[in-house]
Amino acid sequence: MTNKKNIVLTIVIGLLCLTSIFAVGKLKSTNDELKRSDELNVKLNEQNKKLIEANNKADKKIDELSKKYDTINSELKKIKEDNNQVN
């Protein structure tokens, strides 16, 4: 009976060791994946900041052009009105 208990105990301890080794390996690979994901997220955040900055510059430029267009359009309307009054 003692031999059976020793065999069972040895098998259980062996399985626990194998499970622990597997768990440690899985933890390491998960940590590596997490590190890689963090690196990619940092790069994406940097690119997003650059895109947002470029978008803001483009919005400002569009606003400037829109104001110029409105000014030119009002001047053209004034000239047309002046021409109509002359005729």
Side-chain angles (χ1 to χ4, degrees):
M1 205 59 168
T2 307
N3 282 342
K4 285 185 179 181
K5 284 183 181 179
N6 285 342
I7 292 172
V8 170
L9 185 60
T10 305
I11 291 172
V12 168
I13 291 172
L15 289 175
L16 286 173
C17 288
L18 288 174
T19 304
S20 297
I21 291 169
F22 174 75
V24 169
K26 186 68 176 168
L27 180 63
K28 183 172 176 7
S29 69
T30 302
N31 282 340
D32 291 344
E33 289 175 17
L34 181 62
K35 184 179 177 184
R36 179 73 178 136
S37 292
D38 286 345
E39 291 170 355
L40 291 174
N41 281 337
V42 167
K43 288 180 182 178
L44 282 174
N45 283 338
E46 290 172 359
Q47 289 177 351
N48 282 341
K49 286 178 185 177
K50 289 177 184 176
L51 288 173
I52 289 170
E53 196 174 296
N55 192 27
N56 288 337
K57 286 180 183 178
D59 283 346
K60 287 180 184 177
K61 201 66 162 167
I62 289 170
D63 288 343
E64 290 173 11
L65 291 172
S66 176
K67 288 176 186 175
K68 286 181 183 178
Y69 173 81
D70 288 343
T71 303
I72 292 172
N73 199 25
S74 348
E75 289 177 11
L76 283 174
K77 284 182 182 178
K78 200 174 194 182
I79 291 171
K80 284 181 181 178
E81 288 174 3
D82 290 347
N83 282 342
N84 285 339
Q85 287 178 358
V86 170
N87 291 333

